[in-house]
Each structure stands twice: as C-alpha cells, then as structure tokens.
Amino acid sequence: MANKIKQTLKNYWLLWTTISVGIVGLALQLFGNACFRVPTPKGLNTLVPIVTCPVRDFVAPITIILIAWLAILVTMIKTREMVRGLRQGNFGIDILAIVAIAACLITQEFWAAYIIILMLSSGETLEKLADRRARHELSALIKRRPQSAHLVIDDTISNVPLAKIKLGDRLLVKENEVIPVDGVLTSSHATIDESSLTGESMPVDKSTGDKIISGTICQTNKIYITATSTAANSYYSQIIHLVEEAEARPSHFVNLANRYAVPFTIASLIIASLAWYMSNDFNRFAEVLVVASPCPLILAAPIAFVSGMSRCSKRGIIVKGGDTLEQIARADVFAFDKTGTITTDRVQIDHIDSTRGYTPQMIVAIVAAVEANSTHILASSVINYANTHNIRPAPAHSIRESTGGGVFATIDHRRIVAGNQAFLESNKITGIPTNLHNQTSVLVAVNGKYIGAIYFTDTVRRGSKSAISRLRHLGVHDVIMLTGDRQQTAERIGHAVGIDKIYSQLSPTDKVKIIDNYRQNGRRVAMVGDGINDAPVLATANVGVAMGVMGSTVAGETADAIITSSYISRIAELRFISKRTMTIAKQSVVAGIIICLSLEVVALFGFIPAIAGAFLQEAIDVLTMLNALRANK
Ligand code: ADP
Ligand code: MG
C-alpha cells in the first residue's frame, strides 16, 4: 500500500506539485488578506481588527512567486519534451500553451497562467492513466491465473502447484474455478464460461472427450479433466505471455493532434497577434492564447483509443497498441491465409490415395513418422489419425522441414519427401498424377517417386463468408487470399467465402513478395493469418492479425493484434471498432479545434477576460473527453 502511494506520487509528481501550489495560493488569497474583527459597541457595522494576518502584506508576492516558479518548471519540462519530439519529426502543440503561460505572466494574470499549467499537467497524468486503463481488461485475465490445481490420484485429492502438473494427470475443477491447463473432459457433462477468451457471454456445453481450454471458467459443480498440456505451454499461459508483452509496450496512441498542430498553432498565433495589433494592448494577445491552449486536442485522441482498445479486449481481441487500431481502420486490402484461417484449425483426413504397392496405412505411417516434429495443423491431424487407428510410424531420421512446403526425411535409408505439389515438383519427384483432387493434401514420395497422397476435409470456418462481406461494407477495397495450397483447392475455398482474388502455390517468401508489392503500390495491407508459416507475412503487412487457434500454439509475437477465439467474425468487428475509434478521435480533435478557433475570434474582440477564458477552456476539455469516451460503446 505504502509502496503504491509512493509510486503514484512519483508518477504524477508534476500534477501533485501543481495542485499543492494551487491550494496554497488559494488559501493565501482567501485567508491571507483577512484579519479577525469584532464588532464595537458603536454598532454591529463597525468592526475593529483584533488579529491581523502576519503574512498579509506578502500574499500577492508569495502567490506570484509560487505560480511563476511553477510556470518556469513546467516550461522547462515541456520545452525539453518539445525538443525531443521535434527531433523525431513531431511538432507538438504545447508551444501554444507555453506562449500563453508566458503572456499571462507578463500581463500578471497569474491565475489564468495557473489554470493552463493545471491543464497541461493533468493532461499528462490523464494520458498515463489512459494507458493503464487500456490494459485494464487484459490485466484482469492475468490476475485470475490460478496458483494451484486439484490433482486426483486414485481417490485422494491433493492441491499441487501448477508447475507440477504433468500430461495425463487427472484434475478436479470446482465451480467458478479457472481451468488450470488444457485438457479433455472425462466427466459426462460440463458448462464452461469461455467469455474471457472469446468475448461470448453464453456459456458453452461440453461432453465427455471434448477439449477444455485453460483460462476458461468451470460453471458446473465438479468436473474431471485429463491434462493435455503443462501449465507452461497451456493456451492460457501463451495468452498471458502475449498480454504481458503487449503491456510492456507503450500504447502508441496516435497523436492526431500533432497532425493538426502546425496549422492550428500558426492560426492561433496570427489571431493573437492581430488582437494585440488591433487593440494595441498586450493583454488581448494573452487572452486569445488562453482560449487557444489546446488540451482537448491532446487528450481526446488517446481517450478514444483507450475506449476502442478496451472494447476490443472485451471481445477477446488483444490489441498491442493504439496505432494498430489506426492501421486496421486505414487498411484497404485485407489478405487472408487459407489453411487454419479461412478453414478451421481442426482438419480431418478425408481419404488416402496410394500406388506402387503402398497401402493407405503405409502412407499414413510414413507421413506420421516424418511429421513427428512439425507444428503444422496437417501434421498433427495425420499423427492423431495414426494414433487412433493404431498405426505405428517407423522411426524417421534427418527430418528437415521446409516452411510452407513440406518435409524431407529418411526412413530405412529411403528418402522421403512429403508436402504440397509445388514442393514435390521442385524436388524433381516423378509420377505425380495430373488428376489430383481439389482438396488440401499432403503428397508423398519415396526415393524420388510419388507413392500417394493424404486428402483432408477442409471445413470453412463458420461465419467466414459474412465476415468477408462485412469487411467490404466497412470499406475494404480488396479481400485477397494467399495460400501455399494448389490453385484448384484455393479457388474452391475462396469462392465459397466470397474472395475473388486468389494467389495460390505460394511459398512463405512469395507471400511476403505479394504483400510488399501491394505496399509499394501505395496500398495499406492488413494480413490475417493463423501464425503457422505466416509469421513473416504478418510482419510485412502494415498490420498483422493472428487468429488464435483455440487450444494450440498461438504465434502472436509478430502480430499486432491477436484474436483469442476461433470466431473469424472478430476480424470484421475489429475493423468496425477501429473505424469507429478513428472517427470519434478525429471528430473530437476537429471539434476541439473549431471551438478553440471560434473562441479565439471572440477573445480577439476583447470579450473574454483571461481568467474566464481559462475556465471556458476547461469546460471544453471535459466535453471533448466525454465525446471521446463514446468509442467504448
Ligand atoms: P496456407 O498458406 O493455406 O496457410 P500452408 O502454407 O500452411 O497453407 O501450407 C500449404 C500447403 O503446403 C499445405 O496444404 C500442404 O500441402 C503443404 N505443407 C506445408 N507444410 C507442410 C508440412 N509440414 N507437411 C506436409 N505438408 C505441408
Ligand atoms: Mg496457414
């Protein structure tokens, strides 16, 4: 507690100093001038002083010294910030405030100067608070992380630290507890609240054998699960890792105000100078600048972004910074990866072709063996299939994976190549049939000759089509698909979800080249992938969004935003929230500028005394900020 107070004092010391000066100054004004009087017998109206305030004669100088000292301090801090900003090419807007403070000091409008200082220092504090607030929803996810789990051995239940949980452990989870690790349900039934990850408030019903994902909440009295992950590599800990990473970054609020700063500053200085020239009174110059101090411009945008970001996290979208929202809002090309993004991350084997005396079982055994180390979803599907069908893979050696293409290995000194058609062709494999099916597949060759293929059912994610049409409604010009898969398969899936531009048979580097090309033509690209094989493209695009594959590896390091559920509709929501946030942020900034400029014109004619102007300015601040908060709705 004491530490917390210390930290707060340290973080916001400028604000505290400003407030203290205000209180001391105000107290001096109110009581310092006074003295205690008593009525005389001559009548109640005549009072004689009994005590005179000792500092009475010093009230004015003390107040002036205090405020002037504060003004110098703030000017120094702000000037340093300004110089730093200018070096990075940012023309801050604080210069107006600093000139206004100086003008007020010269015209001896100390209290007006004080209010501008208060505005500046509270602005900085609010921005810091806003940054924290943006992360608030995310931190809640971390705070719920359980410390221990109930391990069941035979009939005894013991509490063990999370780190002690091993694969295959039987665990008990009670009502309202967080599922500690990923697992499979062994009880007959469970109701699970997945809202923290998916943003869906409706609990989900599960039955025996269903996957239960860590980080979700059990809503049934008691359930039993078998651990399929350790605490360290559970889905929940991966998400937490991503959240922590996001929290460590500054929010990068897009400082919209900076973009309007130069013209606004020049206009205000011109109006103020004009006022001085016309009235031949320097006070007028100060009065104009007091209403020009553009606090709402500085704050409205961050507040809108915080609201937008917190709305995202409520929907199970981790957004790493305010600039991500801006990029999403401005993107005019949305590129989708196919496998694992447009199609579901749980693929099943559909059928198996084989030739040259190989049986389908042998094909599965070979592929399962060479895919042993792969994280590709096709690999895990084949390995699962082998497990459930009692197919024992032979040990494979010198396994080498070519990302987005396939794998090489040797089994019993025979060279195995397994992967997509282009990959096999580039490795000079002969005998590949010309009539391959239009399905996602892994082709296999032994010693340079094709021996068969495994075909998968590729189910399109529910809601893909409507998500894509919503994106179009939200102003996305081109929706394209990038895939390593064959053209026919890609076209079938692409057309099913309403994507017309399809790039197929791409290696991960081809994907990067295509995105680069779009960017070089002045387009802004958002890339949506599952993070498997597409980390480089996610990083190349203006903004990368990773679809969380619920219950498996989240490759969110290179992405700017991560969708922690498997709802593809969240992409359209992310676009919607981003656009709305940008609109509100811009609206608040522009409205702030218009109001400021109008007031400046009124002040030009001498209708707004400095102190009244300072209060008016505060009122505008509050209004603009309230408007910016709407981005959360
Ligand atoms: P997408 O670009 O659609 O997400 P990927 O780049 O992940 O697809 O894979 C494209 C194709 O490359 C797959 O359909 C598969 O045929 C092949 N492939 C990629 N990685 C592997 C692997 N580890 N094993 C076998 N085949 C693979
Ligand atoms: Mg993929």
Side-chain angles (χ1 to χ4, degrees), residues 336-341 343 367 370-371 374-379 401-407 418-421 423 439-443 454 456 481-486 503 506-508 511 530 532-534:
F336 284 87
D337 169 68
K338 180 184 77 73
T339 316
T341 306
T343 59
V367 176
V370 301
E371 297 283 10
S374 175
T375 53
H376 202 274
I377 52 174
L378 299 183
E401 181 160 356
S402 165
T403 315
V407 284
N420 61 34
Q421 188 181 359
F423 179 67
Q439 278 170 287
T440 302
S441 56
V442 174
L443 314 187
I454 301 179
F456 301 84
M481 187 163 95
L482 305 177
T483 176
D485 216 335
R486 296 170 53 232
Y503 299 86
L506 306 172
S507 68
K511 292 186 185 180
D530 60 353
I532 296 173
N533 295 353
D534 48 25

Side-chain angles (χ1 to χ4, degrees), residues 226-238:
T226 305
T228 55
S229 81
T230 59
N233 58 24
S234 70
Y235 190 68
Y236 191 29
S237 67
Q238 292 178 50

Side-chain angles (χ1 to χ4, degrees), residues 380-531:
S380 34
S381 166
V382 175
I383 292 167
N384 272 344
Y385 183 91
N387 281 341
T388 49
H389 289 77
N390 277 326
I391 299 173
R392 301 217 168 274
H397 302 281
S398 357
I399 300 179
R400 198 150 51 78
E401 181 160 356
S402 165
T403 315
V407 284
F408 308 98
T410 55
I411 297 178
D412 277 345
H413 305 290
R414 285 173 299 171
R415 281 183 300 111
I416 313 288
V417 180
N420 61 34
Q421 188 181 359
F423 179 67
L424 264 68
E425 279 165 358
S426 69
N427 283 291
K428 313 229 159 32
I429 303 298
T430 56
I432 301 174
T434 47
N435 57 344
L436 294 167
H437 302 268
N438 292 351
Q439 278 170 287
T440 302
S441 56
V442 174
L443 314 187
V444 197
V446 172
N447 287 339
K449 294 193 180 67
Y450 170 85
I451 58 156
I454 301 179
Y455 289 98
F456 301 84
T457 52
D458 23 29
T459 329
V460 168
R461 274 188 206 261
R462 248 181 39 218
S464 300
K465 195 171 180 172
S466 63
I468 285 160
S469 81
R470 267 189 81 196
L471 279 180
R472 291 221 165 85
H473 283 297
L474 289 166
V476 176
H477 242 268
D478 291 290
V479 180
I480 64 174
M481 187 163 95
L482 305 177
T483 176
D485 216 335
R486 296 170 53 232
Q487 193 192 341
Q488 289 92 328
T489 315
E491 279 179 356
R492 184 170 59 77
I493 305 262
H495 293 155
V497 298
I499 297 182
D500 31 33
K501 249 185 223 154
I502 291 158
Y503 299 86
S504 56
Q505 294 187 348
L506 306 172
S507 68
T509 37
D510 294 334
K511 292 186 185 180
V512 168
K513 272 186 209 143
I514 291 176
I515 301 285
D516 249 347
N517 242 328
Y518 271 99
R519 289 193 63 170
Q520 267 158 27
N521 289 326
R523 310 296 297 272
R524 300 185 152 269
V525 190
M527 172 77 206
V528 186
D530 60 353

